[in-house]
Amino acid sequence: EESAEAAGLDPAAQRYLLRSNQMVVRETSDRGMTLVSQSPHKMGDAIFLERAVLSVEQATSFPSADELQAWVDAFAALDPSVRSAVLQLCCPPRAAPGGHLAWFVGEDGERLD
């Protein structure tokens, strides 16, 4: 079990989770950190709300080099604490095989050279 602060949640989410005492953060071997409810919920209940830190729009299902650069620029423009929190969410050692990032830079970044 881990505190909401250590899980990288924004301050409003931390306050809600600590105040409600309904959720805990658990580390799993297959999905990383997960948020687990400690009480039953009805269908349609809002359990967790958060705002997007970055919105991505692209013309097609496969991003162009210009669109990828726009994502990088938008990420770089975020507040440093937000960038750090995003990077702590999940940072696998390799890009997913068959994904856009792997196609563009290679699974291990080999296309960056």
Side-chain angles (χ1 to χ4, degrees), residues 39-51:
S39 61
H41 298 281
K42 293 179 276 178
M43 187 179 297
D45 283 351
I47 296 172
F48 187 68
L49 302 173
E50 60 186 347
R51 66 176 176 83

Side-chain angles (χ1 to χ4, degrees), residues 7 12 14 16 20 24 28 36 44 63-64 66 70 75-77 82 97-98 113:
Q14 291 174 31
Y16 170 77
S20 70
V24 294
T28 64
V36 179
S64 68
D66 288 339
F75 184 75
V82 173
D113 296 331

Side-chain angles (χ1 to χ4, degrees), residues 29-93:
S29 61
D30 60 336
R31 293 181 292 161
M33 290 191 292
T34 60
L35 194 59
V36 179
S37 174
Q38 297 297 298
S39 61
H41 298 281
K42 293 179 276 178
M43 187 179 297
D45 283 351
I47 296 172
F48 187 68
L49 302 173
E50 60 186 347
R51 66 176 176 83
V53 296
L54 185 64
S55 178
V56 174
E57 293 183 26
Q58 60 191 55
T60 65
S61 62
F62 203 82
S64 68
D66 288 339
E67 289 167 332
L68 287 171
Q69 186 61 55
W71 300 355
V72 171
D73 294 344
F75 184 75
L78 293 173
D79 182 87
S81 64
V82 173
R83 285 195 314 263
S84 177
V86 168
L87 291 174
Q88 290 176 19
L89 292 174
C90 178
C91 197

